[in-house]
Amino acid sequence: MSKRIIASIIAASILIIALSFQLVGSFIEGDEDETDAMGLFSNSEKLEEKVVERGSSNKRIVELSLEGAIIDNPSTNPNPFGGGGYQHDRFLKKLETIKEDASIKGVHLYVNSPGGGVYESAEIHDKLLEIQEAGKTIYVSMGNMAASGGYYISAPADRIFASNDTFTGSLGVIMESINYQELANEYGVKFNTIKSGEFKDIMSPTKEMTDADREILQTLVDESYQQFVDVIAEGRDMSENRVKELADGRIYSGKQAVENGLVDEIGFREDTLKALKEEIGGDPQVFEYKNNMASFFNLPFAESLMPNSEIRYIEKLISQRQGPRMMYMYTE
């Protein structure tokens, strides 16, 4: 049996197990005592801190990392790939804790993300604004990529750093679906749809998109695009016209982003932290929150058999199975 066939069998098995696991999670959701006892699904545990650099406990800097797609995979349904993946609820909890902690004066946010959902990105953006309103300074350090939604959440920062080789930009909104009507027709597969209104099956993969369908969806995308433009204009103190010149969906290098005013300075994580410590002043303690959300599955054998592209595809099937939606996402 070839390696690729074995990989395909494993991939299918993982997908079935993951979906079954999520179904079980939906049944036990809401029973906090049971989930806490299991230690698998609960997101109610207290955030534990780890001191990175000693200093004043009354003047502290917290280091946060946002890595991966900004998509809400509820804590009851952990992503079975990687080190637990991005946990949206947990990240929001960290932001709320930071806002309420008077000892925290600065936030060092590391962003390494191609973006994600419009809704999730807006949630993080608004939380960061609340943190600033509480009198705290936010510096962003962009990693290999901080594109689309990754830039959306970075825009309100007091200062943004990126390396020359960072990929950022991709400013805009995208909404995609797959249409397999012709393929189904070729194999004699027919679909019976009973609907209450003309547009109830809009973006259905079993029918061609009409001009009326496209017009409706375009208005939704345009609304979210305008919201993106407003966020950049406010966060970067730019005119709307200038933002729209830059927000045509193209990707920018860190160097280009600095030249266009989307990023403040070229630098890495250590440069960002050093600048933030100087801004805060004194001798601030630097800490981070421990990551206690372990992945339910640890599959090094699967990773050794499946190409990364296949793992990412299966991950996408699991995390985006609810159907097409608007995304602030850089698409390769």
Side-chain angles (χ1 to χ4, degrees):
M1 187 179 293
S2 71
K3 186 175 180 181
R4 191 163 189 86
I5 293 175
I6 295 174
S8 298
I9 294 173
I10 293 174
S13 300
I14 292 172
L15 182 58
I16 293 170
I17 292 171
L19 293 175
S20 300
F21 182 55
Q22 292 173 348
L23 180 61
V24 172
S26 68
F27 280 114
I28 67 173
E29 184 178 6
D31 190 340
E32 188 171 309
D33 293 337
E34 182 177 356
T35 56
D36 285 346
M38 293 179 67
L40 294 174
F41 305 109
S42 175
N43 193 36
S44 61
E45 80 280 3
K46 181 179 179 181
L47 296 175
E48 295 184 44
E49 298 179 2
K50 175 185 176 182
V51 174
V52 178
E53 294 183 19
R54 296 183 182 276
S56 172
S57 59
N58 295 320
K59 182 182 287 188
R60 305 199 296 161
I61 293 174
V62 59
E63 292 197 296
L64 287 179
S65 292
L66 193 160
E67 301 190 62
I70 309 170
I71 297 172
D72 186 7
N73 291 314
S75 56
T76 53
N77 301 322
N79 190 321
F81 297 93
Y86 169 72
Q87 294 288 334
H88 186 63
D89 287 347
R90 183 172 173 81
F91 192 77
L92 292 178
K93 181 178 180 180
K94 290 179 181 180
L95 296 181
E96 183 65 25
T97 302
I98 290 168
K99 183 183 73 171
E100 300 297 332
D101 191 333
S103 70
I104 298 175
K105 307 300 180 184
V107 179
H108 176 202
L109 176 58
Y110 175 72
V111 179
N112 187 23
S113 172
V118 167
Y119 181 86
E120 294 92 333
S121 300
E123 278 191 303
I124 294 173
H125 172 270
D126 289 353
K127 282 290 183 185
L128 292 174
L129 289 181
E130 291 176 9
I131 288 172
Q132 286 178 317
E133 290 170 0
K136 306 174 194 297
T137 303
I138 300 175
Y139 277 21
V140 164
S141 174
M142 292 181 169
N144 180 61
M145 177 176 289
S148 204
Y151 187 85
Y152 187 101
I153 67 171
S154 302
D158 296 285
R159 203 168 175 189
I160 302 175
F161 287 71
S163 76
N164 280 317
D165 300 315
T166 294
F167 272 6
T168 187
S170 187
L171 311 175
V173 190
I174 190 166
M175 194 174 191
E176 294 180 310
S177 69
I178 298 174
N179 187 287
Y180 45 74
Q181 183 185 38
E182 290 185 12
L183 179 64
N185 291 340
E186 183 177 344
Y187 287 93
V189 179
K190 296 182 179 180
F191 301 91
N192 297 314
T193 302
I194 312 300
K195 56 184 180 179
S196 58
E198 178 184 355
F199 301 106
K200 184 60 180 173
D201 59 346
I202 198 168
M203 284 195 88
S204 167
T206 65
K207 76 178 190 71
E208 289 294 327
M209 181 178 290
T210 67
D211 290 340
D213 291 341
R214 186 174 295 277
E215 183 178 352
I216 290 171
L217 295 171
Q218 188 64 55
T219 61
L220 298 176
V221 168
D222 290 344
E223 285 181 6
S224 290
Y225 174 73
Q226 184 60 50
Q227 179 176 308
F228 203 157
V229 169
D230 293 341
V231 161
I232 300 172
E234 180 178 353
R236 301 301 299 170
D237 193 24
M238 285 185 183
S239 70
E240 180 177 317
N241 288 338
R242 177 54 179 159
V243 173
K244 287 184 175 180
E245 289 177 3
L246 299 171
D248 59 1
R250 77 182 66 188
I251 203 78
Y252 296 100
S253 68
K255 182 176 181 294
Q256 293 171 342
V258 170
E259 293 171 352
N260 286 308
L262 295 171
V263 168
D264 295 296
E265 193 168 333
I266 296 297
F268 295 97
R269 294 178 75 167
E270 58 268 26
D271 302 309
T272 310
L273 178 58
K274 180 181 178 181
L276 181 56
K277 289 167 69 176
E278 291 175 355
E279 176 69 21
I280 299 300
D283 183 29
Q285 179 192 93
V286 181
F287 77 97
E288 63 185 12
Y289 294 113
K290 293 181 181 179
N291 183 16
N292 296 327
M293 297 295 290
S295 176
F296 183 74
F297 295 103
N298 184 14
L299 301 171
F301 67 93
E303 293 179 359
S304 69
L305 291 173
M306 287 188 292
N308 288 335
S309 60
E310 292 185 9
I311 293 176
R312 288 199 302 269
Y313 179 70
I314 298 167
E315 182 179 18
K316 183 177 180 180
L317 287 178
I318 294 172
S319 62
Q320 299 184 27
R321 67 193 181 283
Q322 294 178 341
R325 57 174 174 165
M326 289 185 293
M327 305 286 284
Y328 295 141
M329 178 74 83
Y330 169 63
T331 58
E332 297 177 349

